Amino acid sequence: MHYLTIEQRESLQAALNARAQVLRETIARMLGSQAGEARALADHREETDDDAVIDLESSLETDALQRNSLELREAEKALHRIHTPEFGECADCGGDIPFTRLQANPLSTRCVACETAFERTHGQQGRHSL
């Protein structure tokens, strides 16, 4: 088992903290803007006269909020485990996740081979199609 250096872990921790902060700000902004949008919704309904368009817009905003919330939870989980021996270890095979992969995506919990296999079998779950 290869262990990440302290410098590598600190670099990943800084990236995770920065991403978590951006997500918190984005979520707060989205939640704050929803209050004002609720008032504007009645006006928007009159302008478009198309409930399907309004429903689609609301659905897209809700999906974005859910995605950001999920990513924030994953970032917080990664921050909790970053200084444990399991951080950087593939959740499926137990092998090392290369530092370059973690630099690209510090939320990674699988090595490239296991992630590829996972996406082949689970790739369409949770995805919406038109």
Side-chain angles (χ1 to χ4, degrees):
M1 174 55 131
H2 150 266
Y3 292 101
L4 297 170
T5 66
I6 292 172
E7 292 81 13
Q8 289 172 327
R9 287 180 191 269
E10 288 175 352
S11 167
L12 294 172
Q13 183 175 11
L16 284 165
N17 279 323
R19 182 62 184 154
Q21 184 60 34
V22 167
L23 288 165
R24 284 185 198 98
E25 291 168 2
T26 301
I27 290 167
R29 190 171 43 255
M30 291 175 81
L31 290 173
S33 70
Q34 283 182 350
E37 288 173 11
R39 289 186 295 272
L41 185 59
D43 294 336
H44 189 56
R45 277 191 193 279
E46 290 176 15
E47 290 172 10
T48 63
D49 195 33
D50 191 345
D51 288 342
V53 171
I54 293 169
D55 289 345
L56 177 61
E57 290 172 351
S58 296
S59 177
L60 293 173
E61 291 168 5
T62 301
D63 286 349
L65 184 58
Q66 288 175 339
R67 275 191 310 276
N68 288 334
S69 296
L70 177 62
E71 185 178 351
L72 178 57
R73 282 193 300 275
E74 293 302 316
E76 288 171 346
K77 286 180 192 175
L79 284 165
H80 285 297
R81 69 174 191 276
I82 196 162
H83 293 291
T84 67
E86 293 80 29
F87 186 83
E89 184 177 290
C90 178
D92 291 350
C93 72
D96 291 337
I97 300 173
F99 177 66
T100 53
R101 175 166 171 71
L102 292 170
Q103 277 182 306
N105 182 6
L107 302 177
S108 296
T109 57
R110 293 183 185 88
C111 65
V112 174
C114 290
E115 184 64 30
T116 301
F118 179 82
E119 288 177 5
R120 272 194 212 115
T121 58
H122 298 87
Q124 295 302 316
Q125 286 185 352
R127 291 192 182 166
H128 302 286
S129 63
L130 296 176

